[in-house]
């Protein structure tokens, strides 16, 4: 009987594989969506093509080991009409984002687009280039610079500007400039106030969890193609190169918002707590050009990104767009951003900023209005929609963020995850709750029968909800997993949002195969200052391993100013930026990058000591005890759609 069950399971999964095509329900939905009148507007295609200067001859960008960091030809399949497996609006949007190469925004401003999730912008200075947002990995940033040099001539990089604290805008810095040159002031590295703190919070402290969920959000392991990943909403996708943060040496603060960089006058509009905790727009008065960073996009953005982050302040975001419009709208002949293509002409710039702002303001105000009427987050998400005049604009459509997801984020910012019903105070964990739900509905066979009927009716979301309970109840029949795979695929293919598509399809892939790990980012920790590095260690202390153990360790950096007194007690690591060797059991003198290597497992202390790169005195067991209490980095992905 067990052999027959195994054969049956295999047949069920093979049946789903054989049926891996858009259903009649999905085809009908796509056909209806394709009739929207907005498809007649080709202005975005003209803007995305404008100023094209050339592309890279070799489409494959490789890392030092010869692996593929980025393949510019991976999205060639987007040429042609939309297939039934992709929402037609998302297909159109992905076609625009996949256009790659060097573009002249205007004389003196150039962008390399399509080399990563974000754009990199090169502003011509008096003696060299000012680079705005150097992509997400060293390999793609270096390839972009090579293309600029090939087409525009050799010029040194005089400055790097980070508009905000997300890794796709700073991770490539190490491919363009060295940390040593930045520390010595040979290259200006400019960032908004609070940049490093935000980087630590969003990319280092919660990095493993965020990277795992980013695998879903960006469809990292999905095949590129009409049935898989077609884009990431704000760019083609994440490069798989080497991120390397170079710490800023110049901060823009409210007291210093104007700067001349390599002969170019710049005004900075600080916009904290908008798209990122630390972010800024840039205005170039002599060029009448406005860089809106990631505060303005060719799509609605996320108020709460599915990969995980702090909930963003929608009202502050809208208010800052109002300020941008007032400060720079009438003075800007071109607007460029960290993603997608520019807007040309004062009228286009002002209209775009106003209507994009209105979409966020509407989202905020109407969510709060309905919240104050007693509606819950889920009820608001089910009801809320943008007014037709705003919804018709391509840049307000939900290719990245959605009204549904974002309205729940606005609710969460004000009210938290709890929606007021006491039944939510102590919910059962998913596995226990699922087992009881399945039992209450008459067992797995009864639930599967209901799910089958839902699938046949095209009610894939309801089918997925039912089948998710069967999976989490434990030991699900193969038929349940097969039906859930089918439901997730249809939901993915129907999605206008690239992120929803990627998450549905990644869920289907993991159910049919196994969880796949996300890329680590040890380069980010190496670029962090000592206090943030120690914060990252503190959240890896395992109290069960530490027990009632105690230690005190003095760390002194030998290649730059910096020291810390580290103490562990009660399973808690605390650190202070003080020199108090008399309180410490041991003193470790080390370079900052080597210390990061110890914490990530890339360096061994005996080897560093032997090479004269570190010195440990006092109780030499102190560091070993600390290491024993810290959870080691793991590449094993935790499950998401299975128990």
């Amino acid at each position: 009987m067990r052999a027959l069950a195994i054969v049956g399971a295999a047949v069920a999964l093979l049946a789903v594989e054989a049926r891996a095509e858009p259903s009649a329900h999905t085809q009908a939905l796509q056909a209806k969506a394709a009739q929207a009148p907005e498809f007649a507007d080709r202005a975005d295609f003209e803007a995305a093509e404008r100023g094209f200067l050339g592309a890279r001859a070799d489409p494959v960008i490789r890392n030092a080991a010869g692996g593929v960091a980025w393949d510019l030809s991976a999205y060639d399949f987007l040429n042609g009409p939309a297939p039934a497996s992709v929402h037609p609006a998302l297909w159109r949007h992905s076609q625009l984002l996949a256009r790659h190469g060097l573009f002249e925004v205007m004389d003196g401003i150039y962008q390399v687009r399509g080399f990563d999730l974000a754009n990199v912008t090169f502003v011509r200075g008096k003696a060299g280039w000012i680079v705005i947002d150097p992509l997400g990995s060293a390999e793609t940033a270096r390839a972009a610079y090579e293309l600029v040099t090939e087409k525009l001539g050799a010029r040194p990089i005089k400055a790097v500007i980070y508009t905000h604290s997300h890794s796709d805008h700073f991770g490539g810095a190490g491919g363009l400039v060295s940390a040593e040159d930045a520390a010595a002031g040979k290259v200006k590295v400019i960032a908004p106030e609070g940049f490093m703190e935000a980087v630590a919070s969003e990319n280092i402290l919660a990095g493993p969890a965020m990277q795992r969920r980013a695998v879903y959000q960006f469809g990292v392991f999905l095949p590129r193609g009409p049935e898989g990943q077609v884009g990431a909403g704000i760019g083609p996708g994440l490069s798989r190169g080497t991120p390397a943060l170079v710490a800023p040496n110049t901060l823009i603060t409210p007291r210093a918002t104007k700067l001349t960089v390599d002969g170019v006058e710049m005004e900075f509009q600080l916009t904290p707590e908008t798209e990122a905790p630390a972010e800024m727009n840039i205005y170039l008065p002599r060029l009448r050009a406005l860089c809106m960073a990631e505060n303005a996009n060719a799509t609605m953005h996320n108020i709460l990104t599915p990969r995980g982050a702090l909930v963003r302040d929608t009202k502050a975001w809208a208010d800052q767009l109002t300020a941008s419009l007032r400060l720079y709208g009438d003075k800007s002949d071109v607007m460029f951003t960290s993603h997608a293509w520019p807007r040309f002409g004062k009228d286009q710039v002002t209209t775009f900023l106003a209507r994009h702002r209105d979409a966020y303001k509407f989202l905020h105000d109407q969510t709060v209005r309905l919240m104050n009427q007693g509606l819950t987050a889920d009820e608001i998400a089910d009801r809320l929609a943008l007014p037709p005049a705003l919804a018709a604009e391509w840049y307000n459509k939900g290719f990245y963020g959605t009204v549904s997801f974002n309205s729940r984020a606005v609710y969460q910012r004000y009210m938290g995850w709890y929606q007021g019903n006491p039944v939510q105070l102590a919910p059962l964990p998913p596995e226990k709750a699922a087992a009881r739900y399945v039992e209450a509905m008459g067992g797995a066979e009864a639930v599967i029968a209901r799910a089958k009927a839902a699938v046949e009716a095209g009610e894939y979301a309801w089918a997925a909800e039912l089948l998710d309970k069967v999976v989490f109840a434990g030991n699900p029949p193969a038929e349940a997993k097969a039906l859930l795979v089918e439901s997730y695929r249809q939901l993915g293919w129907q999605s206008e949002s690239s992120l929803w598509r990627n998450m549905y399809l990644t869920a289907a892939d993991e159910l049919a195969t196994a969880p796949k790990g996300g890329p680590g980012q040890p380069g980010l920790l190496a670029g962090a200052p000592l206090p943030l590095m120690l914060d990252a260690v503190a959240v890896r202390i395992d109290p069960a391993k530490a027990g009632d153990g105690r230690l005190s360790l003095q760390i002194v950096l030998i290649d730059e100013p910096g020291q810390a007194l580290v103490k562990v007690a009660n399973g808690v690591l605390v650190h202070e930026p003080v020199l108090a060797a008399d309180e410490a059991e041991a003193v470790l003198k080390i370079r900052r990058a080597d210390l990061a290597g110890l914490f990530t497992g890339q360096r061994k202390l005996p080897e560093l000591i032997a090479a004269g790169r570190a010195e440990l005195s006092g109780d030499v067991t102190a560091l070993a005890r600390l290491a024993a209490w810290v959870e080691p980095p793991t590449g094993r992905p935790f499950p998401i759609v299975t128990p």
Side-chain angles (χ1 to χ4, degrees):
M1 290 297 292
R2 180 167 177 78
L4 289 175
I6 293 173
V7 171
V11 170
L13 285 172
L14 287 172
V16 171
E17 290 298 327
R19 293 171 52 216
E21 59 185 23
S23 67
H25 300 288
T26 296
Q27 293 180 49
L29 184 148
Q30 315 294 45
K32 181 179 179 180
Q35 301 306 310
E38 301 96 273
F39 281 93
D41 182 0
R42 302 290 293 178
D44 285 339
F45 286 91
E46 295 172 6
E49 293 286 345
R50 181 167 170 171
F52 178 66
L53 298 177
R56 179 181 160 93
D58 182 357
V60 179
I61 300 171
R62 299 188 181 277
N63 58 30
V68 177
W70 187 250
D71 184 353
L72 293 163
S73 66
Y75 294 92
D76 287 352
F77 68 86
L78 286 164
N79 297 321
S85 57
V86 185
H87 192 287
L90 177 59
W91 184 264
R92 173 193 182 276
H93 187 69
S94 297
Q95 286 179 317
L96 288 161
L97 291 177
R99 187 72 172 100
H100 61 84
L102 174 64
F103 298 81
E104 182 181 58
V105 178
M106 63 178 296
D107 184 28
I109 302 178
Y110 305 87
Q111 283 190 320
V112 176
R113 302 201 285 269
F115 277 44
D116 212 318
L117 184 66
N119 303 329
V120 56
T121 303
F122 290 80
V123 178
R124 188 171 58 230
K126 183 178 180 180
W129 291 116
I130 303 161
V131 180
I132 301 176
D133 288 352
L135 303 183
S137 67
E139 293 86 349
T140 54
R142 193 177 299 115
Y145 185 33
E146 289 170 354
L147 180 61
V148 168
T149 300
E150 174 192 336
K151 301 297 181 182
L152 301 175
R155 292 170 64 86
I157 293 173
K158 291 294 185 178
V160 173
I161 301 176
Y162 305 138
T163 62
H164 62 290
S165 52
H166 294 151
S167 62
D168 53 319
H169 302 270
F170 63 74
L176 301 179
V177 298
S178 70
E180 292 76 16
D181 283 350
K186 294 180 181 179
V187 177
K188 274 190 178 294
V189 181
I190 303 166
E193 184 179 49
F195 173 83
M196 289 303 294
E197 291 78 4
V199 166
S201 174
E202 292 210 26
N203 298 280
I204 296 177
L205 295 184
M210 287 185 180
Q211 288 163 30
R212 172 69 176 118
R213 282 174 41 166
V215 166
Y216 269 63
Q217 174 170 320
F218 295 110
V220 172
F221 294 108
L222 292 175
R224 274 48 174 163
E227 287 79 41
Q229 201 259 20
V230 300
I234 52 174
L238 287 174
S239 66
R240 299 177 71 172
T242 309
L245 169 64
V246 176
N249 55 27
T250 304
L251 293 180
I252 302 301
T253 71
R255 298 170 299 282
T257 58
K258 294 184 178 182
L259 201 63
T260 298
V261 183
D262 193 25
V264 179
E265 294 180 10
M266 294 185 170
E267 298 178 14
F268 299 89
Q269 179 196 355
L270 288 170
T271 61
E273 305 305 327
T274 51
E275 190 272 337
E279 188 150 358
M280 62 185 181
N281 301 325
I282 308 167
Y283 181 66
L284 291 76
R286 290 186 180 178
L287 298 176
R288 292 179 58 85
L290 175 62
C291 171
M292 285 298 296
E294 203 168 327
N295 286 315
N297 295 277
T299 170
M300 175 169 281
H301 211 289
N302 285 303
I303 304 306
L304 174 59
T305 177
R307 67 175 168 81
L310 298 176
V311 180
R312 294 156 185 171
D313 188 336
T314 323
K315 182 180 181 302
W317 196 333
D319 289 346
Q320 291 289 7
L321 288 173
T322 297
S324 300
L325 184 61
R326 174 175 50 81
L327 290 169
Y328 308 119
D330 288 339
K331 299 189 292 184
S332 299
D333 296 326
V334 64
M335 185 200 80
F336 60 96
T337 56
S338 299
H339 294 277
W341 50 93
R343 309 281 161 175
F344 298 97
K346 183 178 70 174
D347 289 344
Q348 277 202 30
V349 172
T350 55
T351 299
F352 168 83
L353 287 175
R355 293 185 182 177
H356 205 44
R357 179 270 320 275
D358 287 350
Y360 290 115
K361 193 68 164 61
F362 180 91
L363 174 70
H364 171 272
D365 292 353
Q366 297 309 309
T367 298
V368 173
R369 181 179 70 86
L370 295 174
M371 177 183 78
N372 285 334
Q373 290 181 1
L375 273 69
T376 65
D378 294 337
E379 290 168 333
I380 296 169
D382 183 61
R383 176 183 297 194
L384 201 61
L386 290 178
L390 296 179
E393 299 289 359
W394 285 106
Y395 48 76
N396 286 335
K397 292 186 181 295
F399 303 120
Y400 195 59
T402 66
V403 171
S404 170
F405 205 100
N406 282 343
S407 64
R408 282 174 279 177
V410 174
Y411 184 100
Q412 180 177 328
R413 182 173 179 90
Y414 284 102
M415 306 297 289
W417 59 267
Y418 175 56
Q419 299 187 57
N421 188 331
V423 74
Q424 299 171 334
L425 289 175
L428 291 172
E431 292 90 338
K432 291 183 179 179
R436 296 192 181 190
Y437 272 111
V438 169
E439 181 185 8
M441 286 187 283
E445 290 185 5
V447 179
I448 292 170
R450 291 176 181 270
K452 277 184 179 178
V455 168
E456 293 301 320
E459 297 175 348
Y460 301 113
W462 174 234
E465 191 166 335
L466 289 169
L467 295 163
D468 180 71
K469 293 289 190 291
V470 178
V471 169
F472 272 83
N475 300 313
E479 186 181 18
K481 293 184 73 172
L483 282 169
L484 185 51
V485 168
E486 170 72 3
S487 299
Y488 278 149
R489 282 180 177 155
Q490 298 299 331
L491 288 168
W493 291 333
Q494 291 179 6
S495 294
E496 183 181 72
S497 166
S498 62
L499 301 194
W500 287 35
R501 176 188 177 90
N502 291 340
M503 290 184 286
Y504 281 132
L505 295 183
T506 300
D509 175 70
E510 291 196 358
L511 281 164
T513 57
K516 298 178 176 65
Q521 296 182 317
L524 297 184
L525 190 63
L530 181 59
L532 301 185
M533 198 182 298
L534 293 173
D535 285 342
V537 176
V539 299
R540 288 167 50 198
I541 293 288
D542 184 340
K545 293 178 179 177
D548 58 1
R550 306 173 69 91
L551 67 78
S552 56
L553 172 68
Q554 182 80 58
I555 297 176
V556 180
L557 300 183
I558 57 178
D559 58 338
E560 62 183 71
Q563 65 272 326
L565 179 64
V566 178
K567 294 183 178 181
V568 178
N570 305 311
V572 176
L573 184 152
V574 296
H575 59 89
E576 301 176 83
V578 297
L579 187 61
D582 57 321
E583 297 183 34
E585 302 168 42
V587 177
L588 174 64
K589 296 181 179 180
I590 192 170
R591 289 175 171 82
R592 180 167 59 84
D594 289 334
L595 182 64
L598 288 179
F599 291 148
T600 58
Q602 297 178 309
R603 298 281 190 274
K604 302 297 182 185
L605 185 60
E607 296 171 1
L608 293 173
I609 292 174
R613 298 175 62 88
E615 178 185 327
L616 181 62
S617 59
D619 184 351
V620 295
T621 68
L623 194 62
R625 282 184 283 136
L626 176 60
W629 300 340
V630 174
E631 288 183 338
T634 175
R636 295 192 303 274
F638 55 77
I640 291 179
V641 291
T642 55

